[in-house]
């Protein structure tokens, strides 16, 4: 669904992404991990066309994204920080996004109801807490049932109930065969959601493996322990990018 | 522009405008302009004097308030712009819609604040020209604000550049012009001075209004020049054309740069 080939991007002297190659498929829940400043957000923004790559190509549903903006109808994006015009109400924000997408007449409003946003719909965005704004962002990402979800730190700032609700929704969409690309620093939140891990460091792709593979190589079950082992450097995982395609084939058989 | 997507632009303009007309700064700006207009026009029985005072208020406040408010608005709206850009819509349409909503709100504030008192107290062509001048200046400085936004990496830098631009055109430019006129007063520089005035949208606004009021002589050297070289109708066309260039050149440049800007 998303193909990334030799993607390179630098900001001044800093190389944010260095020759990244990835192939993400339907039904995967890919977790994008890496320390701060490793290039996660740049990668997400490149897929969304918010950042213009220097080198390399990105395809979404076999279409190269540079010229044609219509591919974004297949993506639901939840940004890390949701900031909205101060005096818009929740209802107005939702109505605005719906009106921009006249191609849709059926909406997935499960999260709007689940989060109880319909009861707050006349509140202005300025008056909302950070968590409630996150709920609005999440609801918007899921509104059009897209085939691809890009979620940047989705559970940050959400209360435990809302966080669980969102995780359930993500799982449901994954089961429905959607592709989910998710970044999070809360590894326990990714437990049970992530099927694959992409690990970035200093703009380089360190590895792209299934969670099962990682559990096997590290001998740990819990995701946070698995990642901790890897970050400590106990497990030799660094491998040339080319091997990813062989992983792809293996995944093709199992999934 | 892709005609098929104009409904999307209309939608964005509509909702952003709904946000802006409830913006406190816009409301206060409208109220202050209205209070100034009513008090200035009420002070003197001579409407031409009142209009001159309003012209000076316009030339002083509209550029700085417009460019500052717009620059800050564009920077504060980055996350919202990103959200809109994650939808299937062209980049330039998103930013152009935001620009159009912004100029509608700011020029609306000016038209309500200055135009309505004028309509009741001093209606006539001169008042209409003043409102047009203020509106054109709003458009010019919003375009410059958009250019500042797309060219600068962070908000603080952007605001700094916006302030410098506003100060340059309101204060510094005329100083340079006077220095130029004095140092070359022995040479035939009349045409050059007319040309230089075209480089400052605020001066163009002043000329436009003063030619109308027929008090160009009061403006001294450059006013007399304009009267002499351009005459009223041609002078009007010249200043309006130059001001429109000041609107569209920065706007088009900003849209082109935004096409490849990293957000």
């Amino acid at each position: 669904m998303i193909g990334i080939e030799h993607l390179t991007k630098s900001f001044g002297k800093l190389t944010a992404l260095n020759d990244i190659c990835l192939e993400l498929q339907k039904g995967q829940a890919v977790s994008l991990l890496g320390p701060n400043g490793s290039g996660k957000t740049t990668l997400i923004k490149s897929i969304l066309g918010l950042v213009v790559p220097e080198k390399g190509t990105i395809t979404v549903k076999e279409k190269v994204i540079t010229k044609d903006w219509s591919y974004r109808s297949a993506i639901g994006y939840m940004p890390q920080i949701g900031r909205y015009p101060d005096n818009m109400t929740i209802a107005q924000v939702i109505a605005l996004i719906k009106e921009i997408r006249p191609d849709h007449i059926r909406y997935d409003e499960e999260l709007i109801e689940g989060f109880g946003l319909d009861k707050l719909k006349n509140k202005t965005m300025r008056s909302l807490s950070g968590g409630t704004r996150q709920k609005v962002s999440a609801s918007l990402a899921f509104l059009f049932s897209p085939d691809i979800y890009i979620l940047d730190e989705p559970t940050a700032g959400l209360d435990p109930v809302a966080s669980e609700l969102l995780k359930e929704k993500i799982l449901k969409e994954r089961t429905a065969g959607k592709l989910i690309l998710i970044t999070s620093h809360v590894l326990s939140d990714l437990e049970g959601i992530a099927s694959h891990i992409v690990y970035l460091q200093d703009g380089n792709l360190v590895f792209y493996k299934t969670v099962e593979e990682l559990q096997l190589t590290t001998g740990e079950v819990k995701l946070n322990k698995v990642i901790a082992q890897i970050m400590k450097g106990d497990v030799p995982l660094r491998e040339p990018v080319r091997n990813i395609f062989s992983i792809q084939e293996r995944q093709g058989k199992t999934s | 522009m892709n005609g098929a997507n104009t409904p999307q632009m209309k939608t964005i303009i509509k909702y952003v405008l709904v946000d802006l007309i409830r913006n406190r700064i816009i409301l206060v700006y409208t109220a202050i302009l209205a209070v100034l207009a009513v008090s200035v026009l009420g002070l003197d029985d001579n409407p031409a004097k009142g209009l001159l005072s309003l012209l000076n208020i316009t030339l002083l406040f509209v550029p700085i308030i417009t460019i500052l408010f717009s620059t800050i608005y564009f920077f504060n709206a980055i996350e919202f712009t990103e959200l809109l850009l994650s939808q299937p819509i062209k980049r330039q349409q998103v930013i152009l819609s935001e620009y159009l909503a912004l100029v509608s709100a700011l020029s609306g504030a000016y038209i309500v604040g200055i135009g309505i008192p004028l309509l009741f107290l001093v209606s006539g062509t001169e008042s209409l020209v003043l409102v047009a001048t203020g509106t054109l200046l709003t458009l010019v400085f919003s375009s410059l604000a958009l250019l500042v936004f797309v060219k600068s990496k962070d908000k603080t830098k952007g605001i700094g550049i916006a302030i410098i631009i506003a100060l340059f055109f309101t204060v510094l430019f005329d100083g340079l012009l006077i220095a130029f006129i004095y140092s070359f007063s022995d040479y035939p520089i009349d045409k050059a001075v007319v040309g230089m005035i075209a480089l400052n949208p605020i001066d163009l606004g002043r000329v436009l209004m003063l030619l109308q009021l027929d008090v160009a002589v009061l403006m001294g050297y450059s006013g007399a020049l304009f009267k002499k070289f351009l005459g009223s109708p041609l002078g009007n066309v010249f200043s309006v054309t130059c001001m429109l260039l000041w609107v569209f050149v920065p706007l088009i440049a900003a849209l082109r740069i935004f096409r490849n800007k990293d957000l």
Side-chain angles (χ1 to χ4, degrees):
Chain A
M1 291 253 257
I2 299 179
I4 297 168
E5 279 171 42
H6 305 289
L7 179 66
T8 300
K9 175 74 191 175
S10 46
F11 298 106
K13 280 180 195 154
L14 176 91
T15 309
L17 293 173
N18 184 19
D19 201 32
I20 304 285
C21 298
L22 278 175
E23 192 71 44
L24 310 177
Q25 308 287 353
K26 229 175 145 216
Q28 292 181 346
V30 182
S31 170
L32 204 51
L33 298 180
N36 295 329
S38 55
K40 301 186 296 283
T41 300
T42 308
L43 182 60
I44 283 179
K45 286 189 168 184
S46 304
I47 297 171
L48 287 163
L50 297 173
V51 162
V52 185
E54 269 160 51
K55 268 184 256 160
T57 48
I58 301 176
T59 52
V60 170
K61 290 186 153 183
E62 275 87 52
K63 269 192 266 174
V64 179
I65 65 165
T66 34
K67 290 276 166 264
D68 187 11
W69 41 268
S70 61
Y71 77 94
R72 291 198 290 259
S73 61
I75 299 177
Y77 170 53
M78 178 177 173
Q80 194 170 1
I81 308 159
R83 274 189 72 186
Y84 299 87
D86 281 347
N87 306 303
M88 261 188 211
T89 61
I90 294 182
Q92 282 167 343
V93 170
I94 293 169
L96 163 64
I97 299 297
K98 280 183 183 172
E99 278 179 47
I100 292 183
R101 298 282 297 273
D103 52 323
H104 269 266
I105 28 167
R106 292 180 64 191
Y107 307 110
D108 180 354
E109 297 189 329
E110 214 178 288
L111 282 181
I112 298 181
E113 285 154 29
F115 289 144
L117 291 178
D118 36 354
K119 291 180 212 89
L120 304 170
K121 65 175 193 263
N122 292 322
K123 291 226 175 201
T124 57
M125 298 310 289
R126 180 180 41 201
S127 66
L128 302 180
S129 70
T132 314
R133 275 201 286 266
Q134 280 294 91
K135 290 179 188 170
V136 175
S137 301
S139 308
L140 292 176
F142 286 85
L143 197 56
F144 303 105
S145 312
D147 292 336
I148 300 166
Y149 290 96
I150 295 182
L151 314 169
D152 200 353
E153 298 280 347
T155 51
L158 289 183
D159 60 62
V161 180
S163 178
E164 277 311 308
L165 193 73
L166 182 58
K167 278 195 275 181
E168 273 169 36
K169 183 69 185 166
I170 295 171
L171 267 180
K172 204 166 145 187
E173 293 297 300
R174 184 193 149 190
T175 321
K178 310 287 182 71
L179 167 62
I180 291 152
L181 184 58
I182 185 168
T183 76
S184 183
H185 283 293
V186 192
L187 291 172
S188 58
D189 277 353
L190 297 169
E191 202 83 53
I193 292 179
S195 64
H196 295 68
I197 307 279
V198 167
Y199 196 89
L200 293 175
Q201 197 159 28
D202 303 323
N204 292 300
L205 177 67
V206 181
F207 63 82
Y208 170 31
K209 285 176 184 291
T210 66
V211 172
E212 289 83 34
E213 267 182 291
L214 290 172
Q215 284 169 335
L216 270 176
T217 39
T218 55
E220 297 283 354
V221 183
K222 286 261 183 196
L223 196 57
N224 47 1
K225 295 225 166 136
V226 170
I227 301 301
Q229 282 260 356
I230 293 163
M231 285 177 95
K232 269 191 274 172
D234 294 349
V235 189
L237 278 159
R238 217 172 255 278
E239 59 178 323
V241 173
R242 321 283 167 265
N243 286 4
I244 282 156
F245 293 100
S246 60
I247 300 170
Q248 277 301 311
E249 284 155 27
R250 269 180 277 157
Q251 281 155 12
K253 279 170 203 157
T254 50
S255 61
Chain B
M1 281 299 130
N2 188 345
N5 281 299
T6 42
Q8 290 180 320
M9 284 184 67
K10 274 190 202 149
T11 304
I12 298 174
I13 295 171
K14 182 175 81 185
Y15 284 98
V16 174
L17 206 51
V18 164
D19 169 59
L20 279 168
I21 54 175
R22 284 194 281 173
N23 184 294
R24 272 185 223 145
I25 296 172
I26 296 272
L27 294 176
V28 170
Y29 177 53
T30 315
I32 290 177
L33 286 176
V35 169
L36 283 171
V38 171
S39 51
V40 162
L41 292 172
L43 272 178
D44 213 306
D45 287 339
N46 184 355
K49 264 191 183 171
L51 280 173
L52 263 184
S53 306
L54 276 186
L55 173 68
N56 283 328
I57 290 169
T58 301
L59 298 180
L60 195 64
F61 289 121
V62 169
I64 183 106
I65 290 174
T66 301
I67 198 167
L68 268 183
F69 182 83
S70 306
T71 308
I72 295 172
Y73 190 85
F74 283 124
F75 275 105
N76 284 351
I78 283 185
E79 287 88 359
F80 179 65
T81 308
E82 281 183 18
L83 184 78
L84 292 177
L85 286 175
S86 72
Q87 304 296 327
I89 176 167
K90 254 186 172 173
R91 267 187 170 218
Q92 281 152 305
Q93 287 181 331
V94 170
I95 202 76
L96 186 61
S97 309
E98 287 179 2
Y99 168 83
L100 290 173
L102 196 59
V103 293
S104 311
L106 284 167
S107 43
Y110 184 81
I111 291 167
V112 171
I114 299 280
I116 289 181
L118 275 177
L119 190 67
F120 287 107
L121 298 167
V122 196
S123 54
T125 331
E126 294 90 351
S127 304
L128 217 73
V129 172
L130 178 61
V131 174
T133 306
T135 310
L136 276 170
L137 282 176
T138 307
L139 295 178
V140 169
F141 283 88
S142 304
S143 295
L144 289 173
L146 184 59
L147 189 59
V148 169
F149 165 68
V150 297
K151 284 293 278 180
S152 24
K153 290 227 160 66
D154 65 273
K155 190 172 160 183
T156 329
K157 237 185 233 165
I159 293 171
I161 296 168
I163 293 173
I164 290 170
I165 289 177
L167 285 181
F168 175 77
F169 286 128
T170 35
V171 186
L172 207 62
F173 188 90
D174 287 352
L176 291 175
L177 191 63
I178 288 167
F180 174 77
I181 291 169
Y182 271 102
S183 23
F184 293 94
S185 54
D186 295 340
Y187 302 93
I189 51 161
D190 311 4
K191 278 186 183 146
V193 171
V194 173
M196 278 173 79
I197 282 179
L199 296 178
N200 184 351
I202 298 176
D203 279 347
L204 286 168
R206 184 178 288 128
V207 163
L208 186 64
M209 186 63 198
L210 290 179
L211 285 175
Q212 208 62 42
L213 282 177
D214 214 22
V215 287
V217 188
L218 286 180
M219 209 178 77
Y221 195 80
S222 52
L225 270 177
F226 259 84
K227 212 58 179 168
K228 187 174 148 208
F229 276 96
L230 299 163
S232 206
L234 196 61
N236 285 343
V237 174
F238 177 76
S239 6
V240 172
T241 312
C242 287
M243 282 184 91
L244 288 176
L245 282 176
W246 271 105
V247 176
F248 286 107
V249 172
L251 177 63
I252 290 165
L255 290 176
R256 286 180 152 267
I257 296 167
F258 186 70
R259 205 159 50 183
N260 291 312
K261 186 181 161 75
D262 293 323
L263 288 160

